[in-house]
Amino acid sequence: MLIIGEKLNSAIPSVRQIINNKDVAAVQNLALKQVEGGANYLDLNTAQCNEVTDMEWLIQNVQEVTDIPLCIDSISAQTVERGLACIKGDKSKVMLNSISLEKDRIEGILPLVLKHQCPVIGLTTDDNGIPKTAEERIAITQRLIEILSKENYDLGKLYIDPLVLPLAVDHNNATMFFQCLTDIKRLFNVKTVSGLSNISYTMPKRKIINRHFLAICMAFGMDAAILDPIDRKIMTSVTATNLLVGQDRFGRNYLKAFRNETLED
Ligand code: THG
């Protein structure tokens, strides 16, 4: 499973401070720690700061220490455009997070996806908000795929995020999410992705719920997750679950993690 490191996000108060203070060493440390922890992409979000200029600053400084692909997490077309302009090398490696059926994003961000042929996360939401049922999410997915196909976009680069809602709101929200993962794969055979933490919103000991949710999502074939790769326990869940779902030939990665002493009981 693809790991998108979530730590460089201005929604995290300590990270917002690092960005506001222009603390280059701290940002580069967070980037490198996530790569070391096993990230395949680094998500960058500056929405709580000076979004455009801080995205440029973040991209420039992260690229100084690693060439891991970046994931620009913004609903602002200007932020995405100016961020892409800062990318050294191949812009088609940058993941864009995200498009949806919302008019603003179709008009603002989709053209940038198409121009650079970037991998993109498609959220199953429209101008009416996040749908309550799996059926409505499937309908939005279908519409997004129609739009992208018409533009000859390579659907192998599309990651649908069915958007998880808290269990505290409805105890069926996790099972409904698993249904979405199953249906999206069966009907469209495109990739799926999710952030995890919404599932446990308002519950105590959230990390327990988040990492068990992740393991079940992986069993339902989820292809990518936005998570904290510095958290050894969640990365241990990823490694163990990859082994269990047949994604780790000869247990090579599990045994390597054991030898590197990164597995946590
Ligand atoms: N889907 C898509 N993009 C997303 C989300 C999604 N972007 C934002 C968010 N959800 C995913 N990113 C984060 C970033 C930080 C945290 C949660 C989600 C967070 N971090 C705490 C910290 O680092 O201090 C706690 C980490 C932990 O509990 O391990 O809360 O759903 N497409």
Side-chain angles (χ1 to χ4, degrees):
M1 194 189 55
L2 197 77
I3 306 291
I4 304 169
E6 73 180 13
K7 294 296 277 189
L8 288 170
N9 190 319
S10 61
I12 305 169
S14 59
V15 177
R16 190 183 317 154
Q17 207 156 40
I18 286 168
I19 297 170
N20 286 336
N21 295 342
K22 297 294 167 291
D23 188 340
V24 172
V27 155
Q28 292 180 336
N29 181 48
L30 272 179
L32 285 175
K33 282 245 184 70
Q34 292 184 90
V35 175
E36 255 172 51
N40 306 109
Y41 277 88
L42 296 181
D43 188 83
L44 307 180
N45 179 308
T46 56
Q48 313 295 319
C49 300
N50 295 314
E51 190 173 15
V52 176
T53 52
D54 286 342
M55 181 61 77
E56 293 176 325
W57 176 82
L58 205 51
I59 290 174
Q60 279 152 5
N61 285 293
V62 169
Q63 286 182 130
E64 273 182 23
V65 291
T66 174
D67 49 22
I68 187 174
L70 304 178
C71 174
I72 302 179
D73 185 349
S74 173
I75 62 170
S76 142
Q78 195 195 6
T79 301
V80 175
E81 184 165 27
R82 296 260 294 271
L84 279 167
C86 295
I87 296 292
K88 289 195 249 168
D90 193 352
K91 298 189 203 310
S92 73
K93 292 216 168 84
V94 179
M95 188 180 292
L96 300 187
N97 182 9
S98 53
I99 59 167
S100 70
L101 272 193
E102 288 157 282
K103 191 165 176 281
D104 286 359
R105 300 213 207 180
I106 291 289
E107 288 175 359
I109 303 198
L110 178 61
L112 298 167
V113 173
L114 297 172
K115 177 174 179 193
H116 300 289
Q117 295 295 311
C118 297
V120 68
I121 296 177
L123 306 182
T124 58
T125 180
D126 59 19
D127 288 308
N128 301 317
I130 303 178
K132 291 221 162 39
T133 66
E135 290 73 20
E136 292 168 280
R137 287 158 199 231
I138 298 305
I140 292 176
T141 301
Q142 176 154 17
R143 188 74 194 103
L144 277 172
I145 287 175
E146 281 164 11
I147 292 168
L148 290 165
S149 304
K150 207 174 92 217
E151 303 287 351
N152 290 317
Y153 178 79
D154 173 7
L155 294 176
K157 293 182 172 186
L158 172 64
Y159 293 79
I160 293 290
D161 181 343
L163 289 170
V164 15
L165 291 174
L167 280 167
V169 171
D170 184 327
H171 70 278
N172 281 315
N173 272 337
T175 44
M176 192 265 282
F177 189 84
F178 305 142
Q179 190 63 50
C180 289
L181 293 175
T182 306
D183 289 348
I184 290 164
K185 190 116 293 185
R186 178 173 55 84
L187 294 168
F188 312 112
N189 197 29
V190 296
K191 297 190 179 94
T192 49
V193 63
S194 174
L196 308 172
S197 47
N198 269 356
I199 195 69
S200 60
Y201 187 66
T202 76
M203 304 281 275
K205 295 267 188 191
R206 294 179 63 176
K207 289 184 182 198
I208 299 174
I209 300 171
N210 294 353
R211 66 176 180 265
H212 288 84
F213 177 62
L214 172 68
I216 301 174
C217 288
M218 290 173 71
F220 278 93
M222 193 169 74
D223 299 281
I226 307 171
L227 53 76
D228 177 3
I230 302 173
D231 178 339
R232 284 197 174 202
K233 281 195 170 164
I234 202 159
M235 290 309 287
T236 295
S237 291
V238 171
T239 306
T241 309
N242 267 330
L243 175 70
L244 289 165
V245 300
Q247 295 294 314
D248 184 10
R249 270 168 82 89
F250 311 115
R252 273 200 188 102
N253 291 326
Y254 185 84
L255 295 171
K256 189 169 133 204
F258 170 70
R259 283 194 301 273
N260 292 341
E261 297 183 18
T262 60
L263 295 179
E264 192 143 317
D265 278 335

